[in-house]
Amino acid sequence: MSPPDQNASNASSAMGISFDRLAEAIREGMSFLSDKQLPSGEFVTLLGADHSLQGGVFDSSPFVTAHILQALHGVQHPGIGEVIRKALDYLRSEKELGGVWRYYSRRQWKHCRIPPDLDDTACASHALRLYGEAVPRNEWIFRSCRNEKGLFRTWIASHDRKGFFHRLGWLRLLGDWI
C-alpha cells in the first residue's frame, strides 16, 4: 500500500467502514460531480422550498462551483483533473471588471439585479489561488468596502452620496486589476 492508501485505510478503519467501501464512495462522489458539471464547467445549483429540492429550480452561480473546488483540493482520483480544469475555466469566465464576482452567473436572468459582492469575490479568488491560478489583485476592493466601524459591507456598490466608484475613479478598475 502506498502512503495515501494507508492513510485512507486507517481512516476507514477508524470510521468502521471498509477501505473498499470508502473507495467506492469516492468513485460515486466523483461520478456524481462529473454528471452534475455543466459543459461551461459550472456545477448545477438548485433553489428549492424544501431540503429534498424536489422541483428545485436551476440557480446559476459561481459560488457553489468555488466551494466544490475548495472541497476537491488535494483529492487524488482519475479524471478529477478535467473536472477541476473546467470549473476553474468557469470561474475565470465569471470574473468581472475589477477582479470581482457576483452570486448570479451571466447565464442567470437575475445577474443584472444585484451588484458584485465580497463573499463571492473572496470564495472565487481563494479557489483560484488554491490551484495556483492567477488571482486578480482585488484586495483593494475589500479595504474599500468597510464602514466607519471597520466592518465589511457585502455589496460592492455605492455607500455614500459621492458614489463609491466615482470616489475611487473608474481608471483604478483598469490595468492589472482586471
Side-chain angles (χ1 to χ4, degrees), residues 1-168:
M1 252 186 227
S2 65
D5 288 345
Q6 183 61 49
N7 290 339
S9 182
N10 292 343
S12 66
S13 295
M15 293 186 293
I17 61 173
S18 73
F19 176 76
D20 290 338
R21 179 61 195 125
L22 180 61
E24 179 60 22
I26 292 169
R27 277 193 297 279
E28 288 173 7
M30 287 306 305
S31 177
F32 175 84
L33 286 176
S34 183
D35 290 347
K36 298 302 179 189
Q37 190 174 32
L38 301 174
S40 65
E42 176 182 9
F43 289 101
V44 173
T45 304
L46 295 177
L47 177 64
D50 63 42
H51 71 282
S52 72
L53 294 177
Q54 293 294 330
V57 177
F58 180 57
D59 197 41
S60 184
S61 171
F63 194 64
V64 170
T65 299
H67 285 292
I68 290 173
L69 278 167
Q70 292 169 14
L72 291 176
H73 187 255
V75 172
Q76 300 294 317
H77 189 271
I80 195 170
E82 180 64 12
V83 168
I84 289 170
R85 184 198 60 75
K86 286 172 52 178
L88 290 169
D89 287 348
Y90 168 71
L91 280 188
R92 283 190 298 269
S93 77
E94 289 296 320
K95 180 182 72 171
E96 297 187 27
L97 186 65
V100 297
W101 283 261
R102 65 181 81 205
Y103 179 78
Y104 294 117
S105 80
R106 290 179 174 91
R107 295 161 185 80
Q108 170 59 266
W109 65 271
K110 296 181 265 185
H111 175 81
C112 64
R113 296 187 179 235
I114 62 166
D117 62 83
L118 295 182
D119 300 11
D120 294 285
T121 298
C123 290
S125 296
H126 183 255
L128 290 171
R129 184 172 283 118
L130 277 175
Y131 290 93
E133 299 288 316
V135 179
R137 294 180 51 198
N138 56 12
E139 296 87 1
W140 66 273
I141 199 86
F142 290 86
R143 289 189 297 275
S144 300
C145 287
R146 298 181 86 144
N147 69 14
E148 58 283 346
K149 294 180 182 177
L151 302 174
F152 291 100
R153 293 184 174 102
T154 296
W155 304 111
I156 301 170
S158 180
H159 299 293
D160 61 19
R161 289 186 201 139
K162 293 179 184 173
F164 176 76
F165 288 114
H166 175 11
R167 189 174 70 238
L168 285 177

